[in-house]
């Protein structure tokens, strides 16, 4: 009977602890701390990937890095144009929203000093661009989540 009483006490204390954890204000703080940590990690990853895209695509179209400073614009433009020879036939208005920048990009692509790259190179660069865009979009969602939680 003494063992049964201890077992009931243990069960009750576990239930009480679970109940307290369920409604703990600290739990909300922990979620916010975790989200902030993830936001920092995402910033680092996005910067590393974006830097790699610029380095890799920069062999093909080095002048583009000076025209487009924003990593998302850069990645989206690379995805849209592929090889720089296609640049003049692309419409970037939905990405850049600045006609001057778009025309500068197109003119510069025609006289670029970059080297030729293979289709396999381009495929890998585009894949990396998709990662930059995907992570950046997720970062925006996470930031909105944090704003709403705080």
């Amino acid at each position: 009977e003494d063992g049964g009483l201890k077992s009931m006490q243990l069960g009750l204390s576990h239930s009480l602890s679970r109940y307290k954890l369920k409604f703990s204000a600290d739990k909300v703080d922990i979620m916010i701390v975790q989200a902030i940590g993830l936001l920092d990690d995402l910033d680092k990853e996005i910067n590393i990937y974006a830097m790699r895209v610029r380095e890799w695509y920069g062999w093909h179209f080095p002048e583009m890095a000076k025209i487009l400073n924003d990593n998302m614009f850069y990645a989206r433009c690379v995805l849209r144009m592929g090889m720089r020879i296609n640049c003049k036939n692309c419409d970037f208005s939905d990405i850049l929203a600045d006609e001057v920048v778009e025309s500068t990009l197109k003119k510069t692509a025609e006289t670029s000093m970059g080297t030729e790259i293979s289709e396999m190179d381009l495929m890998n660069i585009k894949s990396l661009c998709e990662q930059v865009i995907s992570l950046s979009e997720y970062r925006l969602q996470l930031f909105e989540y944090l704003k709403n939680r705080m």
Side-chain angles (χ1 to χ4, degrees):
E1 191 176 300
D2 194 33
L5 185 61
K6 285 190 189 240
S7 175
M8 278 182 23
Q9 285 176 332
L10 184 64
L12 183 60
S13 67
H14 280 240
S15 293
L16 189 57
S17 294
R18 273 196 299 274
Y19 179 79
K20 283 183 178 178
L21 278 175
K22 198 179 217 181
F23 297 104
S24 168
D26 293 341
K27 188 172 129 186
V28 174
D29 291 344
I30 289 169
M31 299 303 269
I32 290 171
V33 168
Q34 291 292 328
I36 290 170
L38 181 55
L39 207 59
D40 289 341
D41 291 345
L42 282 171
D43 283 339
K44 290 175 191 162
E45 288 299 312
I46 291 167
N47 284 334
I48 289 169
Y49 286 8
M51 185 177 70
R52 193 70 61 219
V53 166
R54 287 173 178 274
E55 288 173 0
W56 207 350
Y57 196 73
W59 284 103
H60 181 59
F61 189 1
E63 300 86 357
M64 187 169 157
K66 286 186 173 64
I67 299 168
L68 301 176
N69 295 322
D70 184 270
N71 292 332
M72 279 284 276
F73 291 164
Y74 192 97
R76 287 183 192 276
C77 286
V78 169
L79 272 178
R80 173 93 32 102
M81 102 174 81
M83 299 291 186
R84 71 174 181 262
I85 197 163
N86 302 326
C87 189
K88 65 178 174 262
N89 300 321
C90 292
D91 178 16
F92 299 106
S93 59
D94 60 321
I95 300 170
L96 300 176
D98 184 343
E99 292 175 22
V100 175
V101 172
E102 185 174 351
S103 74
T104 303
L105 186 66
K106 289 179 177 185
K107 286 177 191 164
T108 308
E110 291 178 26
T111 59
S112 175
M113 301 299 286
T115 62
E116 295 303 315
I117 56 174
S118 70
E119 284 296 328
M120 188 64 101
D121 291 333
L122 185 59
M123 188 181 77
N124 283 297
I125 293 167
K126 282 184 167 188
S127 180
L128 195 53
C129 287
E130 288 167 358
Q131 290 295 313
V132 168
I133 293 166
S134 175
L135 287 172
S136 297
E137 288 170 350
Y138 175 59
R139 188 205 177 283
L140 287 173
Q141 287 176 351
L142 186 63
F143 184 73
E144 284 303 312
Y145 163 79
L146 260 174
K147 274 191 350 191
N148 293 332
R149 291 295 296 245
M150 295 175 91

